[in-house]
Amino acid sequence: DAGITQSPRHKVTETGTPVTLRCHQTENHRYMYWYRQDPGHGLRLIHYSYGVKDTDKGEVSDGYSVSRSKTEDFLLTLESATSSQTSVYFCAIKQGTDNSPLHFGNGTRLTVT
Amino acid sequence: SQQGEEDPQALSIQEGENATMNCSYKTSINNLQWYRQNSGRGLVHLILIRSNEREKHSGRLRVTLDTSKKSSSLLITASRAADTASYFCATDANSGNTPLVFGKGTRLSVIA
């Protein structure tokens, strides 16, 4: 799986609690992404990073923050989880070259009750 | 908003038949990629076609791209039960390393 690990794989949390999902890569790739996948919506981009401490918002960034303090880790934080954030979250990585593909982790299934 | 839209949403065929999935997109692109997702797993890259290419092959996969119609198709020949998965197209805007935007996917079921 291209040296990319997501943790935890499953999490159940209550509305209003903070949650942090971790994406760890061993490929030294420059780009890292967080997507969420929901029925009827496909994959939607939350945030992405193009280098250490360099991040930008995606299509559905409201309610989420990210941090990348080192190349190998990209953290996604839900400051105060809501039921609408129940989803499967995927991390992906990419080399810096223009036409290189994304490599995905196996996802984190998050349930907010 | 979704850039790519796959068609059909779901497709069921017999083993050995060919499967064709289509993708339409809205804006100019740098390249178009197809990914596969098995149940409970992350997406896996299948094939990339550049905007100046019209057709590309990889094993049993054939991808076409028509930039004038802003559409692409993925053909899987001689399908197998193991091809059962969801297939997504993804595009990037016509400028540098912009993030990929994915469609909603086509769910393919290959019946043995």
Side-chain angles (χ1 to χ4, degrees):
Chain A
D1 290 330
I4 177 168
T5 305
Q6 292 186 234
S7 59
R9 291 296 315 277
H10 302 270
K11 186 168 183 66
V12 179
T13 192
E14 293 184 349
T15 299
T17 59
V19 176
T20 295
L21 309 183
R22 181 183 184 230
C23 178
H24 179 77
Q25 60 146 330
T26 57
E27 305 296 319
N28 200 35
H29 284 358
R30 177 182 174 189
Y31 291 86
M32 299 186 76
Y33 306 83
W34 279 107
Y35 287 89
R36 60 178 289 175
Q37 185 174 32
D38 304 286
H41 290 278
L43 273 83
R44 292 179 292 174
L45 181 67
I46 305 171
H47 282 279
Y48 68 102
S49 170
Y50 45 95
V52 174
K53 298 191 189 310
D54 291 324
T55 65
D56 207 347
K57 296 179 179 180
E59 178 190 357
V60 290
S61 60
D62 287 349
Y64 302 94
S65 62
V66 290
S67 67
R68 191 168 178 202
S69 58
K70 44 187 179 178
T71 299
E72 56 266 37
D73 288 325
F74 192 32
L75 304 181
L76 177 70
T77 297
L78 292 65
E79 300 290 347
S80 177
T82 67
S83 59
S84 65
Q85 294 175 312
T86 292
S87 186
V88 181
Y89 292 86
F90 286 98
C91 177
I93 62 175
K94 193 184 90 157
Q95 286 183 310
T97 54
D98 196 17
N99 287 318
S100 53
L102 295 186
H103 299 283
F104 281 82
N106 282 323
T108 293
R109 182 173 293 275
L110 176 68
T111 302
V112 184
T113 62
Chain B
S1 60
Q2 306 296 136
Q3 161 73 314
E5 291 288 339
E6 291 89 345
D7 169 60
Q9 292 185 0
L11 179 61
S12 183
I13 60 173
Q14 297 289 324
E15 205 167 31
E17 294 181 338
N18 295 342
T20 299
M21 287 160 273
N22 302 297
C23 170
S24 60
Y25 57 92
K26 299 174 185 174
T27 62
S28 296
I29 60 171
N30 184 43
N31 65 60
L32 185 143
Q33 304 181 31
W34 285 91
Y35 287 78
R36 165 197 171 122
Q37 183 182 33
N38 288 89
S39 181
R41 307 280 291 183
L43 280 72
V44 175
H45 179 257
L46 293 176
I47 195 166
L48 178 151
I49 186 165
R50 293 181 173 82
S51 59
N52 62 353
E53 297 177 312
R54 292 297 167 257
E55 187 171 313
K56 202 162 183 180
H57 295 256
S58 176
R60 294 185 294 113
L61 303 181
R62 172 179 169 248
V63 170
T64 62
L65 179 64
D66 186 336
T67 53
S68 67
K69 295 181 179 178
K70 292 186 171 59
S71 68
S72 173
S73 67
L74 171 67
L75 169 66
I76 304 174
T77 61
S79 63
R80 307 165 181 168
D83 293 329
T84 294
S86 292
Y87 293 82
F88 296 85
C89 67
T91 55
D92 62 351
N94 196 16
S95 60
N97 274 304
T98 53
L100 288 182
V101 178
F102 286 83
K104 297 178 182 178
T106 291
R107 173 137 192 89
L108 174 66
S109 298
V110 181
I111 302 165

